[in-house]
Amino acid sequence: MALPKAVTVPLMLGTCVPCLKQGAAKFRVKRLELDTNIHMYFANLDYVYAHDPQKLCKTGDLVLIEKLPNKLTRLITHRVKEVVCPLGDITDPLTGKKVVAGNFGGEYRDHIKAVSKIYGEKATAFNYKNAPPRGWQEDKKDFSHVDTYVKYHETGEPQPYSV
Amino acid sequence: MYSAKIPCLSRISSNEKTCSLLLRRFAFKSDLKIKWVRPEKISCIRPEKSGDIEGLPRINKTQLAPKFSNSKELETADETVKKLFTLEFAPRKDTNEFIYNSIMDKVKQHNFDVSSAEVKIAKWTGKIRAMQEVMERFPRNLKSKVTLKELIERRKKHLKWLRERDYKRFEWLLENLNVVYKPNPAVICKPTRKDSLRKLTAKYCEDIKQQRLDNYQAFLKSEQPAFLEEKMRMLAFIKEEQKECDVEVTVTDAEIEDIRKQLDELKKKEDHSDQM
């Protein structure tokens, strides 16, 4: 069963991927496609651009995107409606508490803190309250928000995005 | 001789350009003066590749080795004996252990924390830096090279997981350990002359396009005041004409006033930029 084109779908969940365009974000949308011959579903990946002037979403976020009534440009067909799940900042939907994900379902942040309090928490330990919002290491020590590439030319200048 | 007999060859000889185009269908050479410099290969175990900004910390070697630090006998011992048990005379293994512990202490949640992701990563960071120093002196030690590469990759994998699970902690750890995290590129292949020249040519074309667009934008901006003045004059003229001809007046005073405001703002901006 052929899927409808991703740009025509009115509402989708997409994962934000690195993008050079200003005022827009690129999303990877995963949909399951039925192979009628063997009655099995296979993942189908599509890439969609969405209008995001306020820069709501960052790389890796799970975002709800909505189709625009008219195309903004040749590429931008959708707009960002809501950031459903920011990367690395997970909330348990049942209790509403913050979670650190892990192999066995993860742990509540409160629980981790309680354990370290019993053992004697260190003053230098990481504290969520004092931590700045995500993105303060962008272009300094964290380069996961860009598409890196293998260095192919020596310009004499530093190329921070090359590997 | 042959060109006179074969019509197509005679045509080719008449025009050298066409000839070169027709005959040279392989190894097309661009006229652009782009010089490609092949980047020097950097070993995968070097700090530039592993992302370690700093090396091993310099430590005070006059302090006791960690395994003798709690000894009661040494408290009352002679100075010379004490000196023999300091890090200066201890094997390298002990010094390294001391360094690993000091790096781990920076990121520990509590004193008994040995298994959290950040402590593991800190421990591997210490090991990587110590091994990188050794590999500088013994670059042919392949067993160590393999171990080091595996360590670097394991640390990278765990950093990737930490990023997905707890982003704030991940950034804090990068800052504390002085490590740079770069995800793997989508395509990993050795740079080739052909591919690199293609990329450089595309970049060259893109730059030209951008430069021309910028120039055109600057030109339009320089034309803007004259255009606005002309527009204002024309609107005033149309308004008067409409009044004289007893037709419905479509031009409002507010419209003309808006244009005057725009013009004033533009002039102010120009004056400000001149003063700067």
Side-chain angles (χ1 to χ4, degrees), chain B residues 43-275:
Chain B
S43 171
C44 58
I45 55 164
R46 299 271 309 152
E48 296 95 301
K49 285 271 180 179
S50 72
D52 288 274
I53 296 173
E54 59 176 30
L56 278 184
R58 285 187 182 174
I59 51 163
N60 180 15
K61 291 215 164 182
T62 54
Q63 53 190 324
L64 289 172
K67 56 186 173 186
F68 304 120
S69 57
N70 296 329
S71 163
K72 281 177 188 171
E73 286 85 351
L74 274 176
E75 282 173 16
T76 53
D78 189 25
E79 278 302 308
T80 331
V81 178
K82 264 188 187 175
K83 201 180 174 187
L84 282 173
F85 288 93
T86 56
L87 284 173
E88 195 182 346
F89 295 97
R92 193 186 166 82
K93 196 178 156 192
D94 287 5
T95 321
N96 280 349
E97 200 186 322
F98 177 79
I99 293 170
Y100 304 159
N101 286 336
S102 68
I103 295 176
M104 272 151 57
D105 276 344
K106 280 203 285 185
V107 295
K108 267 183 183 175
Q109 288 293 304
H110 50 81
N111 283 329
F112 302 95
D113 185 8
V114 283
S115 59
S116 67
E118 52 265 38
V119 171
K120 277 185 200 165
I121 291 167
K123 193 178 176 185
W124 294 329
T125 304
K127 277 189 180 177
I128 287 166
R129 286 174 187 172
M131 283 187 87
Q132 275 170 345
E133 241 182 48
V134 177
M135 287 303 293
E136 282 283 308
R137 289 193 288 148
F138 307 105
R140 290 193 178 188
N141 188 344
L142 295 185
K143 221 170 182 180
S144 291
K145 191 176 175 181
V146 172
T147 315
L148 178 54
K149 188 165 189 271
E150 282 174 0
L151 264 179
I152 291 170
E153 281 167 3
R154 192 183 304 156
R155 181 180 68 176
K156 193 167 181 178
K157 180 173 76 178
H158 280 255
L159 275 172
K160 185 185 81 181
W161 287 347
L162 186 64
R163 176 178 171 269
E164 286 164 6
R165 292 166 183 180
D166 199 346
Y167 210 106
K168 283 180 181 174
R169 195 185 289 258
F170 162 77
E171 285 187 311
W172 171 82
L173 192 64
L174 290 186
E175 175 66 19
N176 265 16
L177 298 180
N178 248 341
V179 176
V180 169
Y181 175 76
K182 282 182 190 173
N184 282 337
V187 185
I188 302 177
C189 58
K190 214 174 160 186
T192 56
R193 175 184 293 273
K194 194 169 186 174
D195 189 41
S196 307
L197 277 172
R198 270 183 189 160
K199 282 176 186 165
L200 285 173
T201 313
K203 197 168 166 274
Y204 176 81
C205 297
E206 203 59 37
D207 285 349
I208 289 180
K209 213 163 104 182
Q210 195 56 43
Q211 198 188 347
R212 287 188 182 171
L213 276 172
D214 289 346
N215 286 346
Y216 186 53
Q217 198 180 11
F219 168 73
L220 287 181
K221 269 196 174 177
S222 68
E223 295 268 292
Q224 221 170 3
F227 170 77
L228 285 176
E229 269 176 19
E230 177 68 16
K231 190 179 176 184
M232 210 163 63
R233 203 176 56 77
M234 284 301 287
L235 282 177
F237 171 74
I238 290 168
K239 195 184 166 190
E240 272 185 22
E241 284 289 298
Q242 282 174 339
K243 265 184 191 172
E244 276 179 19
C245 300
D246 288 336
V247 199
E248 189 194 352
V249 180
T250 51
V251 183
T252 57
D253 284 336
E255 241 177 300
I256 299 170
E257 199 54 38
D258 275 351
I259 295 164
R260 182 169 289 128
K261 273 181 191 170
Q262 276 184 33
L263 194 64
D264 289 343
E265 274 176 22
L266 268 178
K267 279 180 182 171
K268 266 184 195 173
K269 268 186 190 173
E270 272 180 17
D271 291 340
H272 187 68
S273 58
D274 286 343
Q275 280 172 9

Side-chain angles (χ1 to χ4, degrees), chain A residues 88 100-101 103 116 119-120 122 124 126 128 134-137 141-144 148 151-154 160 162, chain B residues 35-37 39 105 108-110 163-167 169 171-172 174-175 178 180-183 185 191 196:
Chain A
V100 175
N103 285 339
S116 56
Y119 283 116
K122 290 187 84 175
T124 53
F126 175 70
Y128 287 100
R134 178 192 160 178
W136 66 290
Q137 283 297 332
K141 279 165 193 161
D142 175 21
F143 290 91
S144 54
T148 52
K151 194 177 190 178
Y152 59 87
H153 177 55
E154 194 63 72
S162 70
Chain B
K35 201 187 170 209
W36 175 60
V37 186
D105 276 344
K108 267 183 183 175
Q109 288 293 304
H110 50 81
R163 176 178 171 269
E164 286 164 6
R165 292 166 183 180
D166 199 346
Y167 210 106
R169 195 185 289 258
E171 285 187 311
W172 171 82
L174 290 186
E175 175 66 19
N178 248 341
V180 169
Y181 175 76
K182 282 182 190 173
S196 307

